[in-house]
Structure formats: C-alpha cells, structure tokens
Amino acid sequence: MSQSQQTQNLTLVQAVRDGLHTEMTNDDRVVVMGEDVGKNGGVFRATEGLWDEFGDDRVIDTPLAESGIAGTAIGMATMGMRPVAEMQFSGFMYPAFDQIVSHAARLRTRSRGRFTCPLVVRAPYGGGIRAPEHHSESKEAFYAHEAGLKVVIPSTPYDTKGLLISAIRDPDPVIFLEPKLIYRAFRGDVPEGDYEVPIGEAAVRREGTDVSVYTYGAMTRPTMEAAENLEEDGVSVEVVDLRTVSPMDKETIVESFEKTGRAAVVHEAPKTGGLGAEITATLQEKALLHQEAPVERIAGYDVPYPLYALEDYYLPSVARVEEGIRNAVEF
C-alpha cells in the first residue's frame, strides 16, 4: 500500500464486496454468479449493489444447483472469463465436488497446459452463528488435499480484499473460504482501489519465543486473545496466521518452530485428518531436532457438527486454546 492510498474502515464481508467491485471495475472478464447474488445481494449481502452497477450479464442469479454453478463457471473460465462462483454455504458445495476436483483442479494437467481454469469458488464457512450443520462445517481439508486447487481462508478485512483480488487474477482455481463468524465481528483499515496479498504466504500476527501457535480464519481471534492472556503469566506466544492452507507456507511454519521448539495448532475443523496433522508432520520432517514437546492440536471434535446448544462446546474457545498452549509449554 502506498503512503498516499486512502483507506476505508470495513468489516470482513464488506471487504469481500469491495474486492469483487474492484476487480469487476478493473476487468470486464470478471463475472459473479450464484444463488441470490443479484438483486438480493447474497444471503450475507457480500454482493450487495453489484447487480445495480454491473447488470444481469455480470452478476448472474443461478438456480439452486451447485453442480451447475461450478460446471458453468468452469466452462466460462476455459473460454477466457474470470468467474467468481458463490456457494451459499460451504456445506452446500458437495454437489459441486465432482466438478471442482475432477475438472477444475485437473484441467491444466489434463490439457498439458493448453487450458487453465481461472476460477474462484467463494463460500461462507465455519460455525458459531447458530445455524444447522450443513451451514457450519469446516471441511477445508477436502480441498487442500486436491492437487491443482489453492485454498485461501482470510482472517482480517485487509487480507480478505487483497487475497480475493489475487485469487481472481490467479490462472488456476482457488477455493476462497470466508469465516462467516467474523463477517461483521470487527472492522479494519482496507485500502481503496487495487492491491494484492500474495497467496501462499503466512503472516506472523504476534512475535513470541516460548511456543508457536498456528491458526487461520475465525480461530485467529481466540488464539490471539489466549496469547495475550498467557503473556500476563510470562508465556511468550508467537501466533502464525496461515491465510492460505494450500499451498501452505511451510517455510514460515518451520522458521517459527525453530525459534520456539514448541507448537500448537488451532482449527475448528475435526481433529482427525485436519490441517493440524499436516502441520505436525511438517514439523517432524523438517525441524525434529528443534522439538521440545509434542505438538498440541486444539480442534473441533470428530462428530457431526452439533446444533446450537453444543456449538460453543464444539468450537475451540479461548480457555481451550490457553489450556492446549500451556500443555505444550509445560511438557
């Protein structure tokens, strides 16, 4: 950001809208499509006002058919457009899974580079808003496992806009998961106009020397709060916000761990097969001789996402994050 660039104080969902507006203004190949994204402005109002400005040809209300949304967007992308397809909730993406993993992710390889698929699939994801299970799941590991897909999960308004612009400009498909728990939880300074946040680079949100804690999305806030609480007890916590879970910034992950020798991972997705396991394996492979304690995984439980009466118990709370970090430090 240049010193002369003006900023706006936006929520995360407003930053999504601003990023879409910026790229639609810059590039007439960019189209937005999905259920109720037009006149209604989307279920969370992330596309509010775009239809009024850009019209039916570039803000397209689709039928309730996720496979059709993804398949149509893939066809548009191969023909040179830059579609941004919204899935109303990430738990509704499963009908589109075949299109995304069998076609979008493989198109460059299958065509030996003749075609690329510059597609962004946006979806509100994660829990904490008292919605039913398919509205609240965190299944980012499904997509991170698939070669050919990039998976982005921002945690701040600034990063949201910059990463979304980068995703739209990327020549390959990007799954852009927006943590809806923090859509309107706070505001942050967001530059007006055009800027990018690079995909694949983590951010060290807090410097520390005793333990490295890796997180992303909505879990960044309780992790930061837990780190601040532990600081009062003399525990110095470094917090690394991954921002992109595929490709994962393993260099920053390892560099932090080599400094502290202890680690915890915080995510709301189920523990088994989650990205915490991948981070743990990375530390074992690349920094084993620096390790002073087992890596703690503070995660959701291996059960279907619960209804709202148990939601606060399921999601990692500040207290549970603190306890996990203490286990790593006191081992």
Side-chain angles (χ1 to χ4, degrees), residues 74 100 103-108 116-121 147-151 167 170-176 199 246:
I74 291 167
I100 293 169
H103 300 291
R106 301 173 190 231
L107 195 60
R108 179 190 284 274
T116 61
C117 189
L119 161 69
V120 178
V121 179
L149 295 179
K150 296 174 183 177
V151 184
D170 198 284
D172 293 301
V174 179
I175 307 298
F176 198 89
I199 291 174
S246 182

mmCIF file of all heavy atoms in Angstrom, residues 74 100 103-108 116-121 147-151 167 170-176 199 246:
data_model
loop_
_atom_site.group_PDB
_atom_site.id
_atom_site.type_symbol
_atom_site.label_atom_id
_atom_site.label_comp_id
_atom_site.label_asym_id
_atom_site.label_seq_id
_atom_site.Cartn_x
_atom_site.Cartn_y
_atom_site.Cartn_z
ATOM 1 N N ILE A 74 -16.692 -23.251 -14.747
ATOM 2 C CA ILE A 74 -15.507 -23.877 -15.341
ATOM 3 C C ILE A 74 -15.481 -23.631 -16.848
ATOM 4 O O ILE A 74 -14.446 -23.275 -17.428
ATOM 5 C CB ILE A 74 -15.475 -25.382 -15.026
ATOM 6 C CG1 ILE A 74 -15.213 -25.608 -13.539
ATOM 7 C CG2 ILE A 74 -14.404 -26.105 -15.865
ATOM 8 C CD1 ILE A 74 -15.474 -27.029 -13.078
ATOM 9 N N ILE A 100 -15.485 -29.618 -9.229
ATOM 10 C CA ILE A 100 -14.305 -28.905 -8.726
ATOM 11 C C ILE A 100 -13.059 -29.778 -8.759
ATOM 12 O O ILE A 100 -12.007 -29.375 -9.266
ATOM 13 C CB ILE A 100 -14.577 -28.381 -7.297
ATOM 14 C CG1 ILE A 100 -15.647 -27.287 -7.330
ATOM 15 C CG2 ILE A 100 -13.290 -27.847 -6.662
ATOM 16 C CD1 ILE A 100 -16.174 -26.891 -5.963
ATOM 17 N N HIS A 103 -12.595 -31.788 -12.536
ATOM 18 C CA HIS A 103 -12.459 -30.984 -13.748
ATOM 19 C C HIS A 103 -11.642 -29.712 -13.507
ATOM 20 O O HIS A 103 -10.575 -29.547 -14.099
ATOM 21 C CB HIS A 103 -13.837 -30.668 -14.317
ATOM 22 C CG HIS A 103 -14.601 -31.904 -14.683
ATOM 23 N ND1 HIS A 103 -14.240 -32.717 -15.725
ATOM 24 C CD2 HIS A 103 -15.686 -32.486 -14.106
ATOM 25 C CE1 HIS A 103 -15.068 -33.746 -15.799
ATOM 26 N NE2 HIS A 103 -15.955 -33.633 -14.823
ATOM 27 N N ALA A 104 -12.107 -28.821 -12.626
ATOM 28 C CA ALA A 104 -11.380 -27.555 -12.417
ATOM 29 C C ALA A 104 -9.937 -27.798 -11.983
ATOM 30 O O ALA A 104 -8.999 -27.212 -12.529
ATOM 31 C CB ALA A 104 -12.107 -26.702 -11.379
ATOM 32 N N ALA A 105 -9.744 -28.691 -11.010
ATOM 33 C CA ALA A 105 -8.403 -28.911 -10.461
ATOM 34 C C ALA A 105 -7.468 -29.590 -11.448
ATOM 35 O O ALA A 105 -6.243 -29.450 -11.345
ATOM 36 C CB ALA A 105 -8.504 -29.754 -9.189
ATOM 37 N N ARG A 106 -8.006 -30.316 -12.421
ATOM 38 C CA ARG A 106 -7.176 -31.141 -13.304
ATOM 39 C C ARG A 106 -7.034 -30.583 -14.712
ATOM 40 O O ARG A 106 -6.330 -31.172 -15.536
ATOM 41 C CB ARG A 106 -7.776 -32.550 -13.382
ATOM 42 C CG ARG A 106 -7.880 -33.231 -12.031
ATOM 43 C CD ARG A 106 -8.635 -34.529 -12.125
ATOM 44 N NE ARG A 106 -8.927 -35.027 -10.778
ATOM 45 C CZ ARG A 106 -8.654 -36.251 -10.354
ATOM 46 N NH1 ARG A 106 -8.069 -37.118 -11.175
ATOM 47 N NH2 ARG A 106 -8.950 -36.621 -9.129
ATOM 48 N N LEU A 107 -7.695 -29.474 -14.971
ATOM 49 C CA LEU A 107 -7.769 -29.005 -16.349
ATOM 50 C C LEU A 107 -6.397 -28.662 -16.930
ATOM 51 O O LEU A 107 -6.073 -29.014 -18.077
ATOM 52 C CB LEU A 107 -8.693 -27.791 -16.432
ATOM 53 C CG LEU A 107 -9.155 -27.394 -17.824
ATOM 54 C CD1 LEU A 107 -9.928 -28.524 -18.485
ATOM 55 C CD2 LEU A 107 -10.029 -26.144 -17.753
ATOM 56 N N ARG A 108 -5.554 -27.995 -16.156
ATOM 57 C CA ARG A 108 -4.225 -27.635 -16.656
ATOM 58 C C ARG A 108 -3.415 -28.900 -16.978
ATOM 59 O O ARG A 108 -2.796 -29.002 -18.050
ATOM 60 C CB ARG A 108 -3.474 -26.781 -15.630
ATOM 61 C CG ARG A 108 -2.070 -26.400 -16.072
ATOM 62 C CD ARG A 108 -1.293 -25.762 -14.937
ATOM 63 N NE ARG A 108 -1.697 -24.384 -14.680
ATOM 64 C CZ ARG A 108 -1.193 -23.338 -15.320
ATOM 65 N NH1 ARG A 108 -0.303 -23.506 -16.281
ATOM 66 N NH2 ARG A 108 -1.585 -22.118 -15.002
ATOM 67 N N THR A 116 -6.134 -23.310 -18.827
ATOM 68 C CA THR A 116 -6.113 -23.111 -17.383
ATOM 69 C C THR A 116 -7.550 -22.839 -16.943
ATOM 70 O O THR A 116 -8.448 -22.686 -17.774
ATOM 71 C CB THR A 116 -5.204 -21.942 -16.968
ATOM 72 O OG1 THR A 116 -5.705 -20.726 -17.562
ATOM 73 C CG2 THR A 116 -3.772 -22.187 -17.414
ATOM 74 N N CYS A 117 -7.746 -22.768 -15.651
ATOM 75 C CA CYS A 117 -9.099 -22.577 -15.120
ATOM 76 C C CYS A 117 -9.079 -21.463 -14.082
ATOM 77 O O CYS A 117 -9.052 -21.721 -12.870
ATOM 78 C CB CYS A 117 -9.619 -23.882 -14.521
ATOM 79 S SG CYS A 117 -11.365 -23.838 -14.076
ATOM 80 N N PRO A 118 -9.073 -20.209 -14.530
ATOM 81 C CA PRO A 118 -9.030 -19.069 -13.589
ATOM 82 C C PRO A 118 -10.381 -18.833 -12.938
ATOM 83 O O PRO A 118 -11.105 -17.882 -13.245
ATOM 84 C CB PRO A 118 -8.614 -17.906 -14.487
ATOM 85 C CG PRO A 118 -9.146 -18.276 -15.841
ATOM 86 C CD PRO A 118 -9.046 -19.771 -15.937
ATOM 87 N N LEU A 119 -10.689 -19.707 -12.009
ATOM 88 C CA LEU A 119 -11.986 -19.738 -11.343
ATOM 89 C C LEU A 119 -11.809 -19.510 -9.847
ATOM 90 O O LEU A 119 -10.896 -20.068 -9.240
ATOM 91 C CB LEU A 119 -12.646 -21.106 -11.588
ATOM 92 C CG LEU A 119 -13.776 -21.548 -10.651
ATOM 93 C CD1 LEU A 119 -15.010 -20.689 -10.859
ATOM 94 C CD2 LEU A 119 -14.085 -23.024 -10.873
ATOM 95 N N VAL A 120 -12.681 -18.719 -9.247
ATOM 96 C CA VAL A 120 -12.740 -18.581 -7.791
ATOM 97 C C VAL A 120 -14.088 -19.122 -7.324
ATOM 98 O O VAL A 120 -15.133 -18.724 -7.850
ATOM 99 C CB VAL A 120 -12.576 -17.117 -7.329
ATOM 100 C CG1 VAL A 120 -12.699 -17.020 -5.812
ATOM 101 C CG2 VAL A 120 -11.242 -16.557 -7.795
ATOM 102 N N VAL A 121 -14.043 -20.033 -6.357
ATOM 103 C CA VAL A 121 -15.263 -20.504 -5.715
ATOM 104 C C VAL A 121 -15.273 -19.937 -4.305
ATOM 105 O O VAL A 121 -14.453 -20.313 -3.470
ATOM 106 C CB VAL A 121 -15.336 -22.044 -5.672
ATOM 107 C CG1 VAL A 121 -16.621 -22.487 -4.966
ATOM 108 C CG2 VAL A 121 -15.278 -22.628 -7.081
ATOM 109 N N ALA A 147 -4.580 -31.788 -5.408
ATOM 110 C CA ALA A 147 -3.593 -31.078 -6.220
ATOM 111 C C ALA A 147 -4.301 -30.299 -7.325
ATOM 112 O O ALA A 147 -5.245 -30.790 -7.940
ATOM 113 C CB ALA A 147 -2.613 -32.077 -6.831
ATOM 114 N N GLY A 148 -3.860 -29.081 -7.552
ATOM 115 C CA GLY A 148 -4.476 -28.238 -8.572
ATOM 116 C C GLY A 148 -5.408 -27.191 -8.019
ATOM 117 O O GLY A 148 -5.811 -26.281 -8.748
ATOM 118 N N LEU A 149 -5.762 -27.308 -6.732
ATOM 119 C CA LEU A 149 -6.594 -26.297 -6.083
ATOM 120 C C LEU A 149 -5.767 -25.491 -5.099
ATOM 121 O O LEU A 149 -4.931 -26.048 -4.387
ATOM 122 C CB LEU A 149 -7.756 -26.936 -5.321
ATOM 123 C CG LEU A 149 -8.817 -27.686 -6.113
ATOM 124 C CD1 LEU A 149 -9.848 -28.266 -5.149
ATOM 125 C CD2 LEU A 149 -9.491 -26.795 -7.150
ATOM 126 N N LYS A 150 -6.009 -24.211 -5.022
ATOM 127 C CA LYS A 150 -5.480 -23.369 -3.960
ATOM 128 C C LYS A 150 -6.626 -23.082 -2.989
ATOM 129 O O LYS A 150 -7.774 -22.942 -3.417
ATOM 130 C CB LYS A 150 -4.896 -22.080 -4.533
ATOM 131 C CG LYS A 150 -3.699 -22.354 -5.444
ATOM 132 C CD LYS A 150 -3.190 -21.121 -6.147
ATOM 133 C CE LYS A 150 -2.038 -21.507 -7.078
ATOM 134 N NZ LYS A 150 -1.537 -20.362 -7.865
ATOM 135 N N VAL A 151 -6.304 -23.016 -1.702
ATOM 136 C CA VAL A 151 -7.336 -22.852 -0.685
ATOM 137 C C VAL A 151 -6.938 -21.696 0.234
ATOM 138 O O VAL A 151 -5.906 -21.763 0.916
ATOM 139 C CB VAL A 151 -7.545 -24.136 0.137
ATOM 140 C CG1 VAL A 151 -8.701 -23.954 1.113
ATOM 141 C CG2 VAL A 151 -7.794 -25.334 -0.780
ATOM 142 N N ALA A 167 -6.756 -14.000 -5.874
ATOM 143 C CA ALA A 167 -7.425 -15.225 -6.300
ATOM 144 C C ALA A 167 -8.078 -15.048 -7.669
ATOM 145 O O ALA A 167 -7.998 -15.929 -8.535
ATOM 146 C CB ALA A 167 -8.452 -15.643 -5.260
ATOM 147 N N ASP A 170 -5.484 -15.121 -10.355
ATOM 148 C CA ASP A 170 -4.711 -16.352 -10.453
ATOM 149 C C ASP A 170 -5.172 -17.174 -11.664
ATOM 150 O O ASP A 170 -6.366 -17.264 -11.927
ATOM 151 C CB ASP A 170 -4.888 -17.169 -9.174
ATOM 152 C CG ASP A 170 -3.807 -18.228 -9.008
ATOM 153 O OD1 ASP A 170 -3.884 -19.257 -9.707
ATOM 154 O OD2 ASP A 170 -2.899 -18.029 -8.189
ATOM 155 N N PRO A 171 -4.246 -17.793 -12.391
ATOM 156 C CA PRO A 171 -4.646 -18.569 -13.567
ATOM 157 C C PRO A 171 -5.281 -19.916 -13.250
ATOM 158 O O PRO A 171 -5.798 -20.581 -14.147
ATOM 159 C CB PRO A 171 -3.326 -18.762 -14.320
ATOM 160 C CG PRO A 171 -2.279 -18.716 -13.258
ATOM 161 C CD PRO A 171 -2.772 -17.709 -12.258
ATOM 162 N N ASP A 172 -5.254 -20.320 -11.985
ATOM 163 C CA ASP A 172 -5.763 -21.628 -11.593
ATOM 164 C C ASP A 172 -6.883 -21.480 -10.568
ATOM 165 O O ASP A 172 -7.064 -20.422 -9.972
ATOM 166 C CB ASP A 172 -4.620 -22.477 -11.030
ATOM 167 C CG ASP A 172 -3.597 -22.823 -12.093
ATOM 168 O OD1 ASP A 172 -3.988 -23.449 -13.085
ATOM 169 O OD2 ASP A 172 -2.417 -22.450 -11.939
ATOM 170 N N PRO A 173 -7.647 -22.551 -10.338
ATOM 171 C CA PRO A 173 -8.814 -22.441 -9.449
ATOM 172 C C PRO A 173 -8.441 -22.225 -7.988
ATOM 173 O O PRO A 173 -7.499 -22.845 -7.476
ATOM 174 C CB PRO A 173 -9.537 -23.779 -9.644
ATOM 175 C CG PRO A 173 -8.508 -24.714 -10.170
ATOM 176 C CD PRO A 173 -7.559 -23.880 -10.970
ATOM 177 N N VAL A 174 -9.190 -21.359 -7.336
ATOM 178 C CA VAL A 174 -8.971 -21.020 -5.933
ATOM 179 C C VAL A 174 -10.284 -21.224 -5.170
ATOM 180 O O VAL A 174 -11.328 -20.708 -5.574
ATOM 181 C CB VAL A 174 -8.498 -19.571 -5.760
ATOM 182 C CG1 VAL A 174 -8.300 -19.246 -4.282
ATOM 183 C CG2 VAL A 174 -7.207 -19.316 -6.537
ATOM 184 N N ILE A 175 -10.214 -21.983 -4.080
ATOM 185 C CA ILE A 175 -11.335 -22.104 -3.157
ATOM 186 C C ILE A 175 -11.138 -21.033 -2.092
ATOM 187 O O ILE A 175 -10.147 -21.041 -1.359
ATOM 188 C CB ILE A 175 -11.384 -23.498 -2.509
ATOM 189 C CG1 ILE A 175 -11.371 -24.597 -3.577
ATOM 190 C CG2 ILE A 175 -12.612 -23.623 -1.608
ATOM 191 C CD1 ILE A 175 -12.546 -24.572 -4.519
ATOM 192 N N PHE A 176 -12.077 -20.105 -2.010
ATOM 193 C CA PHE A 176 -11.946 -18.943 -1.131
ATOM 194 C C PHE A 176 -13.000 -19.068 -0.037
ATOM 195 O O PHE A 176 -14.185 -18.800 -0.248
ATOM 196 C CB PHE A 176 -12.146 -17.655 -1.939
ATOM 197 C CG PHE A 176 -11.642 -16.416 -1.272
ATOM 198 C CD1 PHE A 176 -10.331 -15.992 -1.447
ATOM 199 C CD2 PHE A 176 -12.472 -15.659 -0.473
ATOM 200 C CE1 PHE A 176 -9.861 -14.841 -0.834
ATOM 201 C CE2 PHE A 176 -12.013 -14.508 0.152
ATOM 202 C CZ PHE A 176 -10.701 -14.099 -0.037
ATOM 203 N N ILE A 199 -0.952 -15.089 -2.410
ATOM 204 C CA ILE A 199 -1.425 -16.409 -1.998
ATOM 205 C C ILE A 199 -0.215 -17.264 -1.641
ATOM 206 O O ILE A 199 0.787 -17.265 -2.350
ATOM 207 C CB ILE A 199 -2.249 -17.052 -3.135
ATOM 208 C CG1 ILE A 199 -3.569 -16.288 -3.315
ATOM 209 C CG2 ILE A 199 -2.508 -18.528 -2.870
ATOM 210 C CD1 ILE A 199 -4.393 -16.746 -4.492
ATOM 211 N N SER A 246 -3.480 -24.037 1.326
ATOM 212 C CA SER A 246 -2.869 -24.742 0.200
ATOM 213 C C SER A 246 -2.671 -23.758 -0.944
ATOM 214 O O SER A 246 -3.656 -23.203 -1.447
ATOM 215 C CB SER A 246 -3.746 -25.910 -0.267
ATOM 216 O OG SER A 246 -3.135 -26.607 -1.328
#
